[in-house]
Amino acid sequence: MKALVVRKDEESGKTSAAVEDLSVADLPEGDVTVAVEYSTVNYKDGLCIGPGGGLVRQYPHVPGIDFAGTVEESSDDRYKPGDKVVLTGWRVGEVHWGGYAQKARVKADWLVPLPGGLDSRQAMAVGTAGFTAMLAVMALEDHGLKPGQGPVLVTGAAGGVGSVATAILANLGYEVAAVTGRPETADYLTSLGATQIVPREDINETTKRPLEGETWAGCVDAVGGAMLARVLGQMKYGGSVAAVGLAGGAALPATVIPFLLRGVNLLGIDSVMQPYDNRLRAWERIASDLPMEKLEAMAHPATLADLPQLGADILKGQVKGRVVVDVNA
């Protein structure tokens, strides 16, 4: 089988990634062996393909935090050969070998049945990024967000999480304000359903004022850092921000004033260790609430051989939308 293998030079500490031929016997232990059909590229994948980012424990390593495919062998009663499955999270592709290979072996607990209405290619056009976006939308709804309450801000909107969040929110009837630092993506974001394009520089500067005008009914934030701090002070009373990423930094130079005077909620979204029932709920919502034509508009094809470059590009913020990796191409 072919796989993207990352190796580390012990002397220099540098890593290199290349497509290699491996044996099925090389796969790690697990309950279920899956014939992988598609994977995708997320920010974490860029780290695991390249510098490691503290995520990879042992080399050689096969990255790929997502995959979709068909069960080949299973020692667990929940899955049988021929079943279509999806995997996101559980530190697969980081600690455990992942989806950048033609076969993967994992624990049954980590898998979810492919939801009706989606094929494996579409599932990877969604991937962890889209799954995370759906979790964020669900969390905002669970905290009272409804269409008609005002614009919902999506930061990092042209990225993977942001693109899917924009499409889902627009499809559900929300007014979406999309933040981007790339003016050339405005037409793309409008095609996904954004009704307002917010230049990144308008909202990326810190302010000494802990509160500004009440502007946003909700927010899906993939940036963190100074932008998240600024957004918290612009939320409407009782509004919520779903925090999904830290592309702009892990520090949060904010005050508690928005929480105390406006009842703002900051909701942490983790996609890696989500319980099984919530995973099912999210995937079912994706199948029903994400327009497939919008998903196609944000998806770009790739092969295993393209991954070293794509990994470097996504770390620089140069990947738009979603990348679908055909591991058999």
Side-chain angles (χ1 to χ4, degrees), residues 1 22 26-28 60-64 92-93 95-99 104-106:
M1 67 176 197
L22 298 179
D26 294 324
L27 291 172
H61 180 66
V62 176
V92 170
V95 175
H96 194 89
W97 279 18
R105 187 179 292 135
V106 295

Side-chain angles (χ1 to χ4, degrees), residues 207-254:
T207 176
K208 292 183 179 179
R209 297 169 59 196
L211 291 177
E212 298 182 73
E214 296 183 46
T215 307
W216 317 113
C219 173
V220 177
D221 174 59
V223 176
M227 186 180 293
L228 173 55
R230 183 83 184 271
V231 168
L232 287 169
Q234 298 178 349
M235 298 303 296
K236 291 192 173 191
Y237 188 90
S240 299
V241 179
V244 303
L246 42 62
L252 184 57

Side-chain angles (χ1 to χ4, degrees), residues 151-163 165-166 169 175-186 188-190 192-205 215-216 218-224 226-228 230-231 234-235 241 247-248 317 320:
V152 178
L153 191 71
V154 178
T155 70
V161 178
S163 293
T166 298
L169 287 164
E175 178 187 348
V176 181
V179 181
T180 181
R182 295 179 277 175
E184 67 275 12
T185 63
Y188 164 73
L189 292 168
T190 302
L192 295 181
T195 54
Q196 180 183 352
I197 304 298
V198 180
R200 182 168 59 199
E201 58 269 21
D202 287 3
I203 205 168
N204 201 32
E205 293 183 4
T215 307
W216 317 113
C219 173
V220 177
D221 174 59
V223 176
M227 186 180 293
L228 173 55
R230 183 83 184 271
V231 168
Q234 298 178 349
M235 298 303 296
V241 179
K320 183 181 78 173

